[in-house]
Amino acid sequence: VRAVNRALAKMNTWEAARRKFVLTTMWRCAGRSAETASMCWEYLVYDSHYGIAFSEIPQEKTSKSKTVPFCAGAARNDCWLLDLGDFLMWMGLRAEAIYDESRVATWIFGDILECTQSPGTHISNLVKDFRADSPQSEYHEYAAEVNLPERATAGACLPDGTACCTLKATKASCLDL
């Protein structure tokens, strides 16, 4: 995730900022793409005592909610708060409404929920552009820098004790660093 975010930061575009924010949020949500897609602004709360943002997120499989902390990262390429700032800045430049009082819920990643693909497929497609086997991608020039395996997807993007994670290349490789 750090390598992909580093490459996206160099691009300095709205789409790159959105992709960074989606990937870092999924990483913090323990790799659950459906939970990432179902986040809304109404449940995002900043705790000034701890200096951390929290969100209550519904879990798809258990039909229960969980509270996810979104804290600062160890480096700029894994910092959720910086990615949130980039995302909000680009939304402001695009003059997009961030919050709509007339709606029951304002989804942070509404485009993921509205697309015809599952959230996991959609987020994996954001990653696949950085694979070496995607020469037609506009992100191909960054593929060598990111160095993703040919079959990498966003599946099993789990944080470990050192706040590192990997993108799954095969079912057996989700522990590779």
Side-chain angles (χ1 to χ4, degrees):
V1 172
R2 285 184 184 129
V4 173
N5 280 353
R6 187 179 314 111
L8 287 168
K10 290 178 181 178
M11 295 186 71
N12 197 28
T13 64
W14 153 246
E15 180 61 22
R18 188 184 76 79
R19 286 177 181 228
K20 270 187 0 172
F21 190 44
V22 167
L23 289 174
T24 305
T25 302
M26 185 184 71
W27 189 9
R28 298 293 187 236
C29 290
R32 304 284 187 203
S33 55
E35 294 170 11
T36 302
S38 63
M39 283 183 57
C40 57
W41 292 112
E42 290 80 5
Y43 293 107
L44 189 62
V45 178
Y46 182 77
D47 186 323
S48 60
H49 178 74
Y50 293 107
I52 294 176
F54 291 93
S55 184
E56 187 175 329
I57 300 175
Q59 292 179 317
E60 184 178 300
K61 293 182 179 178
T62 64
S63 298
K64 296 178 182 178
S65 65
K66 70 178 181 181
T67 303
V68 177
F70 296 104
C71 54
R76 65 182 173 169
N77 294 315
D78 67 359
C79 183
W80 187 86
L81 295 173
L82 287 175
D83 290 343
L84 170 65
D86 288 347
F87 182 75
L88 293 174
M89 186 265 319
W90 278 102
M91 284 187 81
L93 290 175
R94 293 169 51 97
E96 289 189 24
I98 295 171
Y99 180 75
D100 184 358
E101 288 183 8
S102 66
R103 300 180 81 181
V104 174
T106 308
W107 308 112
I108 296 175
F109 305 114
D111 59 321
I112 296 175
L113 289 174
E114 293 169 1
C115 74
T116 58
Q117 303 168 323
S118 71
T121 301
H122 182 80
I123 294 173
S124 284
N125 287 339
L126 300 181
V127 171
K128 288 179 182 178
D129 287 333
F130 287 95
R131 296 189 324 198
D133 62 342
S134 297
Q136 73 281 6
S137 168
E138 63 185 283
Y139 303 97
H140 183 68
E141 64 184 272
Y142 299 98
E145 180 181 326
V146 175
N147 198 23
L148 287 178
E150 286 188 11
R151 295 175 48 197
T153 68
C157 184
L158 302 170
D160 69 4
T162 59
C164 295
C165 84
T166 184
L167 298 170
K168 184 171 86 172
T170 63
K171 290 182 181 178
S173 69
C174 58
L175 295 178
D176 295 342
L177 293 177

